[in-house]
Each structure stands twice: as structure tokens, then as C-alpha cells.
Amino acid sequence: MTHNIIANYHCHSRFDDGHGELEEYVRAALQKGLRTLGFAGHAPVPFPCTWTMPSDLLPEYLETARRLKIAYAEKLEVLVGLEVDYIPELISTAAAQIQALNLDFTVGSVHFLGRLAGGELWTPDGPAEELERGVRESFAGDFRRAVEEYYRRVTAMVSESPPDIIGHFDVIKKNNRVDKYFSEKSTWYRSAVEHTLDAVAASPCILEVNTGGIVRNTSGALYPSEWILAESLRREIPVMINSDAHRPDQLDGYYKEAVSILREIGFRELTQIGREGRRRVRL
Ligand SMILES: [Fe+2]
């Protein structure tokens, strides 16, 4: 793997649900030969949540990240971003409080899908029990409806408030090992995905190939699935590789394999974000 194709725009730290200081990620990035490191802590959400950044830590996060960006400028391209949720009526990258932060980039993710009977928001990006309870209480137990709503939200996100990078495009499959709840081969699933990809192709977003499900052994698969990557290539959607690191040593996790998979599918370039904007690098 040549030096210029290793970059990571999706890493967490002790400021949200990851481990380690931001500077430890910088040191790991230097040691692993990354060209660019983008911080993407979970942006605060306007309700209690155990894995997003508490609002009172946001100023320290931004200050620390910006200090490191300057301190290491000669050795590493450091970018300051956030992973921002898309929750209709509540938060998105278009929210005034996010726009006011002057971030270098945003990762946009749909983590929340509906409300439990008691009104709390739930996520399909948690344990299987949370998914099952959520689908039961917000979608009368109908997984197809829940999945279609997920892709409707991703479509709305990229059309209405496009982030720079789309986070874990098909995270709805996280707990769906061995087709436990639905099959990606069913016509309705393919059509929901393809409709969303059409919206992505018409947007300025970069699709991330997220190795986190493998690195942290949660879904055990790449986000998105290989057939979705093939459909993305057909639509000329720009892609990048990120590991969704929650520890510094995960910064380049499964990158070599992801590069081979992308080459095999037919990709010949990656799109990255640099200090001067976007650039394309040969795979
Ligand atoms: Fe995420």
C-alpha cells in the first residue's frame, strides 16, 4: 500500500465513545504512515445519549484537535470534523450549531430510527436486543418497514443536508449476520438501496468504505456490502476508506484487505479531503 492512499476521516476518542487522547491518534497515524487524519467524534445530540460527546466537552475537543492540527502541520495533515447524526427535526449537518463550528469536514450518519413506546430514541447500531425492541415498538415488529425507513432517512440526509462523507451506509445490517432479520437479496431491499444510491450519486457526498464492523467485530462485514460498492462504482460515486477507529491502533485496520476488495470490484481511485479540498488518489 503506498503512503498517499492511507488516510482516515472517521475516528473517535475519549471525548465520545472511543478510547485514548487525540494526540495518541496523531502519534499512531505518524507511526502507521497515514497521510491524513480526520477527527470525527460523535457530535452532541439534544437528548441523553451514552455514546455521543457531551456538549460541555465540545469546546475542549475542538480546541485540542485544532492545536494538534497546527502543532503537527509539518508531519501530518490533521483535519477537524465531527460525525453528525441525521435525525429529522432534531439535528443534521445543516443545523446552525454545527455550521457555526467551521469544521474541516463532516461525516453524516443515520444512527437513530424511531422512538420506543416511552419516547426515547433507539438505534439499530446497538445490540440486537435494542434493534428488536425498537422494531417492535416503532414498526409493529416489521423489519422491512424499519429498513425502508432507514434508507429513506439516508436518502433525505444526502439530499437535504449532505455531509462530506456518508458514514457506514448500510449499518442497518449490523445485527443481520446470517440474514437473521432480512435478506439483502430480496427485491425490496435492493430497490431501497439502489434508490438511495441514486440520491448519493446526485449529491456531493463521498461514500466511506467503513472497516469498523470487521475491526471491532460487530457486524463482521464491510459497510457497505460488496454488491453495493459495485452499484456505487456503476454510478461513479466517489469512495474513501475509513476504519471508524475507537482506539489508536485501529486507525488502519483491515485497510489492505479493503484496498484489494475495491480493486477487485473495479475501483481505480479513492477520493480524499485535504487542506486544499478534495483530491483523487490512484488505488
Ligand atoms: Fe457511526
Side-chain angles (χ1 to χ4, degrees):
M1 226 171 10
T2 53
H3 166 74
N4 74 344
I5 70 170
I6 321 177
N8 195 332
Y9 301 87
H10 196 156
C11 71
H12 300 276
S13 70
R14 62 102 175 158
F15 285 98
D16 54 332
D17 63 340
H19 302 275
E21 297 294 335
L22 298 182
E23 190 154 13
E24 293 177 63
Y25 286 82
V26 172
R27 274 193 244 116
L30 286 170
Q31 190 223 329
K32 290 172 181 296
L34 264 71
R35 177 180 185 181
T36 310
L37 172 66
F39 294 119
H42 287 290
V45 289
F47 51 87
C49 178
T50 54
W51 46 268
T52 52
M53 195 182 306
S55 341
D56 57 354
L57 284 187
L58 184 61
E60 187 192 345
Y61 166 80
L62 294 172
E63 208 176 287
T64 310
R66 287 180 176 137
R67 182 175 54 74
L68 293 169
K69 178 178 172 176
I70 296 165
Y72 286 88
E74 301 289 301
K75 296 183 191 147
L76 179 71
E77 193 172 48
V78 174
L79 298 181
V80 185
L82 282 171
E83 180 177 10
V84 183
D85 268 277
Y86 176 80
I87 313 174
E89 324 284 312
L90 272 186
I91 188 170
S92 76
T93 55
Q97 69 269 32
I98 300 293
Q99 291 287 322
L101 301 175
N102 267 319
L103 299 168
D104 295 327
F105 74 98
T106 53
V107 177
S109 299
V110 172
H111 290 113
F112 296 98
L113 201 48
R115 290 182 185 276
L116 298 175
E120 319 91 282
L121 288 150
W122 63 273
T123 174
D125 190 11
E129 302 72 52
E130 182 170 354
L131 170 72
E132 288 177 14
R133 182 170 169 210
V135 172
R136 205 166 50 236
E137 296 185 18
S138 335
F139 297 96
D142 188 336
F143 274 87
R144 173 174 169 175
R145 266 182 57 209
V147 171
E148 287 175 337
E149 175 61 18
Y150 171 80
Y151 283 111
R152 250 194 305 278
R153 288 186 183 209
V154 179
T155 304
M157 173 179 79
V158 302
S159 318
E160 292 160 19
S161 53
D164 295 295
I165 301 163
I166 302 166
H168 41 64
F169 177 84
D170 59 349
V171 75
I172 189 71
K173 75 174 180 201
K174 178 171 175 174
N175 290 293
N176 194 44
R177 286 195 204 211
V178 298
D179 288 358
K180 192 168 173 201
Y181 305 111
F182 56 88
S183 165
E184 290 192 38
K185 292 201 176 78
S186 46
T187 317
W188 65 264
Y189 187 87
R190 292 193 69 101
S191 120
V193 166
E194 288 185 28
H195 178 77
T196 307
L197 288 178
D198 290 341
V200 173
S203 82
C205 302
I206 303 169
L207 182 72
E208 74 167 2
V209 179
N210 182 315
T211 62
I214 293 173
V215 173
R216 290 184 287 136
N217 193 24
T218 49
S219 63
L222 277 187
Y223 302 119
S225 298
E226 289 180 35
W227 71 268
I228 299 178
L229 287 170
E231 286 294 328
S232 304
L233 177 64
R234 229 161 53 78
R235 289 168 175 78
E236 297 179 7
I237 293 170
V239 299
M240 62 166 44
I241 302 172
N242 289 329
S243 78
D244 207 341
H246 282 63
R247 289 199 327 250
D249 64 290
Q250 295 170 340
L251 272 181
D252 60 350
Y254 208 69
Y255 268 36
K256 262 195 211 122
E257 295 83 349
V259 166
S260 310
I261 292 168
L262 284 174
R263 279 195 188 127
E264 208 159 295
I265 293 171
F267 284 94
R268 292 295 173 261
E269 61 179 35
L270 297 175
T271 299
Q272 299 180 340
I273 302 171
R275 286 191 195 104
E276 270 83 50
R278 288 189 185 192
R279 61 177 175 241
R280 301 198 289 198
V281 298
R282 254 194 95 67
L283 250 186

